[in-house]
Amino acid sequence: KAGVTQTPRYLIKTRGQQVTLSCSPISGHRSVSWYQQTPGQGLQFLFEYFSETQRNKGNFPGRFSGRQFSNSRSEMNVSTLELGDSALYLCASSQDRAGANVLTFGAGSRLTVL
Amino acid sequence: GENVEQHPSTLSVQEGDSAVIKCTYSDSASNYFPWYKQELGKRPQLIIDIRSNVGEKKDQRIAVTLNKTAKHFSLHITETQPEDSAVYFCAAYFNKFYFGSGTKLNVKP
């Protein structure tokens, strides 16, 4: 069974640009959640999608958005990038709603904003 | 909202010793408490979890205890090995996951 796949793995952007990250969950998993990981901050919850609906959202500005497609693949978008957006963005999938089942993480997309 | 505090931030032990990492949470409605291990440059991986209706769970050298009254839960690793060296994150779940800030465990051979 393939794991959670995130693309791209590494990317460099400049301030003001926008970026789209992709996450393909484990086959059969309907929930995808996104997290931002920065040194010393641990993992900060961004949002969770379940059956194409945003189920929950963390405390991030509106520049951060996401969506989920009918095949459960998810994308997150960050517009008007700031230096502070440099981080590892992790997605995780679970069979059912996050919290009801174990989260399985992808390898992450490392974003550097210059 | 929920707040999860994790201590210590770094922990250094000798191989064969035990390691204990503690987390406290604020929302009594939290009902699921997983622990993740993240090796350098790798993805977080679940090592053990516990639900609020259970007080303790063990898996070989790893155990987790939960005290709902005091709102804290702990990870215990016995007979530590160098391959246990990693960053460990606790989390609490109520509608969404709230993670602790991580503990860097160094097991010295």
Side-chain angles (χ1 to χ4, degrees):
Chain A
K1 210 174 190 183
V4 180
T5 304
Q6 290 190 246
T7 56
R9 290 292 315 280
Y10 303 91
L11 62 167
I12 300 173
K13 294 284 186 179
T14 56
R15 277 181 298 174
Q17 287 188 309
Q18 68 96 26
V19 66
T20 299
L21 309 177
S22 178
C23 174
S24 293
I26 290 172
S27 178
H29 284 196
R30 294 186 295 165
S31 169
V32 173
S33 49
W34 289 88
Y35 302 85
Q36 181 194 66
Q37 185 175 28
T38 53
Q41 289 281 331
L43 288 85
Q44 307 279 325
F45 170 76
L46 282 154
F47 24 66
E48 180 197 355
Y49 286 88
F50 180 79
S51 294
E52 300 180 66
T53 302
Q54 187 181 86
R55 183 169 174 267
N56 234 318
K57 194 176 188 311
N59 296 324
F60 280 82
R63 301 184 296 107
F64 291 80
S65 63
R67 59 179 174 167
Q68 187 179 33
F69 302 95
S70 58
N71 61 357
S72 293
R73 188 178 72 86
S74 177
E75 288 181 348
M76 68 163 278
N77 183 77
V78 188
S79 62
T80 322
L81 284 166
E82 301 176 0
L83 295 178
D85 296 333
S86 294
L88 180 66
Y89 290 88
L90 291 160
C91 82
S93 74
S94 61
Q95 193 167 15
D96 207 326
R97 292 175 175 175
N101 297 100
V102 169
L103 285 183
T104 302
F105 283 90
S109 292
R110 185 165 295 281
L111 170 65
T112 302
V113 182
L114 302 176
Chain B
E2 174 66 281
N3 180 47
V4 177
E5 293 191 0
Q6 183 172 347
H7 300 281
S9 56
T10 58
L11 178 59
S12 192
V13 300
Q14 207 66 39
E15 181 178 359
D17 287 351
S18 295
V20 180
I21 302 170
K22 297 182 179 180
C23 288
T24 59
Y25 61 99
S26 58
D27 194 334
S28 56
S30 291
N31 54 20
Y32 175 57
F33 307 91
W35 286 89
Y36 288 87
K37 174 184 179 182
Q38 188 175 29
E39 296 176 60
L40 192 62
K42 297 195 174 178
R43 69 193 74 190
Q45 293 205 304
L46 179 78
I47 55 170
I48 196 166
D49 58 6
I50 193 167
R51 298 206 178 262
S52 57
N53 58 346
V54 176
E56 184 174 359
K57 186 175 177 180
K58 202 171 182 180
D59 183 4
Q60 298 182 2
R61 296 187 297 109
I62 294 172
V64 57
T65 58
L66 171 64
N67 183 328
K68 285 191 295 182
T69 304
K71 288 189 254 179
H72 68 71
F73 55 113
S74 301
L75 177 70
H76 306 253
I77 306 174
T78 58
E79 301 170 20
T80 54
Q81 300 165 4
E83 51 265 39
D84 294 330
S85 295
V87 178
Y88 291 80
F89 291 99
C90 65
Y93 179 84
F94 178 62
N95 290 329
K96 55 183 112 171
F97 280 99
Y98 299 85
F99 285 85
S101 54
T103 296
K104 185 174 183 180
L105 174 64
N106 179 35
V107 180
K108 295 178 285 186

